[in-house]
Amino acid sequence: MYILVINSGSSSIKYQLFKGDSDTPICKGLVERIGLDGSRAVHEVTLNGEDQKIIAERSIADHQEGMQVLAALLVREDIAVLADPAQITTVGHRVVHGGETLTATTSITEEVKDKIKALYSLAPLHNPGHIKGIEVSEQMFPQAIQVAVFDTAFHRTIPEKAFRYAIPEEFYTEDHLRVYGFHGISHQYVSAQASAYLNKPDAKLITIHLGNGCSMAAVDGGKCIDTSMGLTPLDGLIMGTRTGTIDPSILIWLMERKGYSLTEVSDLLNKKSGMLGLTGSSDMRDVGKLYNEGNHAAVTAYQMYAYRVKKFIGAYAAALNGLDAIIFTAGVGENDSFARELVCTDMDFFGIDIDKEKNATRAPGIRDLNIAGTKTKILVIPTNEELAIAQQCRELLDTQ
């Protein structure tokens, strides 16, 4: 049994291939900067006891092309991990938005695909890419069971006082407008890892997922009680191309005064804002270079980015009525030491005090970055959404 896990982000596709019940992938990789300059595929595999990393730099216009690059690497003669694509028995797909009807891991049928498509307007950067990935996978691996694992599932425990919007009730009861939350697979995985690391099942945690998309969650004893994204992945933190929280009257102003259409407003908020709108780049590595060059826009953007995270830490510490640890994860959270430092500066009221030397030192696995003796742990925990998806695929298949 081989399980191929596909994790499509707004500008990337992460993947891992698992054999049998093993939690160790036989290969993994990342197709990154999709639709941006400098796109490439990084493929890692162990053959004959030797680790190999293959970097394929090429233009990758969209997620469909990215999936084709991925599939070719799995069977490329000199680094093949599969003799035949027919060996793949299951393909697990991360799907960002499941709405109120897709709330558990499920085998993908035409009906499930239709429901995912019906949610395009709620996740315009993601669900269309998921469908492309699913459809390409169905063509490439027709013998495999296609499975969807939903990012919204972990947030089902959020109480009504936190997931409702203060709008007339019929918009919730009839149209299901509410907070759904996203990155749930990641938040669930790293919060479980943190509880085990702290040896505290009832830990009060704030998980901070910072990538091209960014979100936070308040987790109490393994259950999510609040999260920063809302009806769609647009709300909350400043992101690569998304605004995060914004005064809704700005949207009215754009339509009344500037003549923006609904499509233009959506494109502006989802695809042209965030760090891209502030600095001209959606990639924090590019913004970091500009910051180090003294670029005013980049300096301001980094300060705004960190300030928004700090405000949510304060809010979630109040919601949790306590705080044992904050956890940084995902591409920026795990690798951008400067962003972590900015977030943790002047937070001593919450018992947050970062050790700058530890923070600047790269190391694998879970890292503890707080100064010894401080109240709140500062942890970096590499997320592994792909492993979590593989595990949920196995659980589903075991019940069928």
Side-chain angles (χ1 to χ4, degrees), residues 201-365:
D202 61 347
K204 295 178 182 292
L205 307 169
I206 297 175
T207 51
I208 308 170
H209 179 109
L210 302 179
N212 194 268
C214 302
S215 67
M216 293 171 61
V219 182
D220 192 352
K223 293 184 177 181
C224 181
I225 66 165
D226 206 347
T227 192
S228 60
M229 287 178 167
L231 175 72
T232 75
L234 181 61
D235 201 10
L237 304 177
I238 295 169
M239 307 178 221
T241 64
R242 282 170 269 176
T243 58
T245 300
I246 189 171
D247 183 345
S249 62
I250 292 175
L251 317 184
I252 298 169
W253 185 90
L254 287 169
M255 297 174 74
E256 289 183 344
R257 301 294 182 90
K258 293 290 186 178
Y260 272 60
S261 67
L262 289 173
T263 298
E264 288 171 329
V265 169
S266 178
D267 284 346
L268 176 68
L269 301 183
N270 284 287
K271 300 179 181 179
K272 298 178 180 178
S273 296
M275 300 304 278
L276 177 64
L278 291 169
T279 70
S281 177
S282 63
D283 192 304
M284 289 296 281
R285 292 167 291 191
D286 298 335
V287 180
K289 291 177 183 177
L290 291 172
Y291 185 99
N292 291 329
E293 293 168 2
N295 180 279
H296 176 74
V299 171
T300 301
Y302 249 106
Q303 291 173 343
M304 292 171 64
Y305 184 90
Y307 183 68
R308 188 72 62 87
V309 176
K310 292 170 78 160
K311 288 206 294 183
F312 272 96
I313 290 174
Y316 288 168
L320 289 163
N321 190 28
L323 184 59
D324 292 303
I326 63 173
I327 299 108
F328 289 95
T329 194
V332 177
E334 294 170 31
N335 298 299
D336 193 330
S337 59
F338 183 59
R340 294 193 300 263
E341 181 180 337
L342 282 180
V343 168
C344 295
T345 298
D346 296 327
M347 295 286 280
D348 48 290
F349 178 81
F350 297 97
I352 296 172
D353 200 351
I354 196 165
D355 185 315
K356 293 183 180 180
E357 184 176 345
K358 288 182 183 178
N359 184 45
T361 303
R362 288 181 176 270

Side-chain angles (χ1 to χ4, degrees), residues 28-346:
K28 61 182 179 180
L30 171 67
V31 183
E32 64 176 340
R33 297 177 68 91
I34 294 172
L36 304 171
D37 291 338
S39 55
R40 65 178 188 167
V42 180
H43 183 75
E44 299 178 47
V45 60
T46 302
L47 295 173
N48 300 318
E50 294 186 3
D51 294 333
Q52 296 189 41
K53 178 184 285 188
I54 293 85
I55 299 176
E57 295 184 351
R58 51 165 291 179
S59 174
I60 302 172
D62 54 30
H63 283 70
Q64 182 168 358
E65 191 172 340
M67 279 289 296
Q68 292 167 344
V69 170
L70 180 167
L73 286 165
L74 296 179
V75 296
R76 201 176 92 177
E77 186 175 355
D78 59 329
I79 55 168
V81 293
L82 296 174
D84 188 329
Q87 291 176 273
I88 293 176
T89 54
T90 307
V91 182
H93 299 266
R94 170 190 176 235
V95 178
V96 161
H97 212 311
E100 287 207 322
T101 59
L102 298 171
T103 58
T105 298
T106 184
S107 297
I108 296 173
T109 62
E110 290 301 316
E111 181 183 2
V112 169
K113 286 194 289 185
D114 287 342
K115 289 180 178 180
I116 294 171
K117 291 175 183 178
L119 296 165
Y120 275 4
S121 63
L122 300 184
L125 294 185
H126 293 86
N127 275 26
H130 299 323
I131 286 293
K132 287 181 181 178
I134 290 167
E135 291 176 343
V136 172
S137 292
E138 288 173 331
Q139 295 169 9
M140 293 179 177
F141 315 110
Q143 77 292 338
I145 298 170
Q146 308 287 330
V147 175
V149 181
F150 298 97
D151 238 353
T152 43
F154 179 58
H155 304 299
R156 286 177 298 172
T157 53
I158 294 174
E160 189 171 4
K161 65 181 180 182
F163 73 65
R164 287 286 299 275
Y165 292 112
I167 54 178
E169 178 137 354
E170 63 265 24
F171 290 110
Y172 171 60
T173 57
E174 297 175 15
D175 301 305
H176 311 293
L177 301 187
R178 51 158 290 177
V179 169
Y180 287 99
F182 304 92
H183 294 142
I185 300 166
S186 176
H187 289 296
Q188 183 176 21
Y189 179 83
V190 299
S191 61
Q193 293 284 304
S195 292
Y197 178 81
L198 299 171
N199 193 25
K200 192 170 186 181
D202 61 347
K204 295 178 182 292
L205 307 169
I206 297 175
T207 51
I208 308 170
H209 179 109
L210 302 179
N212 194 268
C214 302
S215 67
M216 293 171 61
V219 182
D220 192 352
K223 293 184 177 181
C224 181
I225 66 165
D226 206 347
T227 192
S228 60
M229 287 178 167
L231 175 72
T232 75
L234 181 61
D235 201 10
L237 304 177
I238 295 169
M239 307 178 221
T241 64
R242 282 170 269 176
T243 58
T245 300
I246 189 171
D247 183 345
S249 62
I250 292 175
L251 317 184
I252 298 169
W253 185 90
L254 287 169
M255 297 174 74
E256 289 183 344
R257 301 294 182 90
K258 293 290 186 178
Y260 272 60
S261 67
L262 289 173
T263 298
E264 288 171 329
V265 169
S266 178
D267 284 346
L268 176 68
L269 301 183
N270 284 287
K271 300 179 181 179
K272 298 178 180 178
S273 296
M275 300 304 278
L276 177 64
L278 291 169
T279 70
S281 177
S282 63
D283 192 304
M284 289 296 281
R285 292 167 291 191
D286 298 335
V287 180
K289 291 177 183 177
L290 291 172
Y291 185 99
N292 291 329
E293 293 168 2
N295 180 279
H296 176 74
V299 171
T300 301
Y302 249 106
Q303 291 173 343
M304 292 171 64
Y305 184 90
Y307 183 68
R308 188 72 62 87
V309 176
K310 292 170 78 160
K311 288 206 294 183
F312 272 96
I313 290 174
Y316 288 168
L320 289 163
N321 190 28
L323 184 59
D324 292 303
I326 63 173
I327 299 108
F328 289 95
T329 194
V332 177
E334 294 170 31
N335 298 299
D336 193 330
S337 59
F338 183 59
R340 294 193 300 263
E341 181 180 337
L342 282 180
V343 168
C344 295
T345 298
D346 296 327

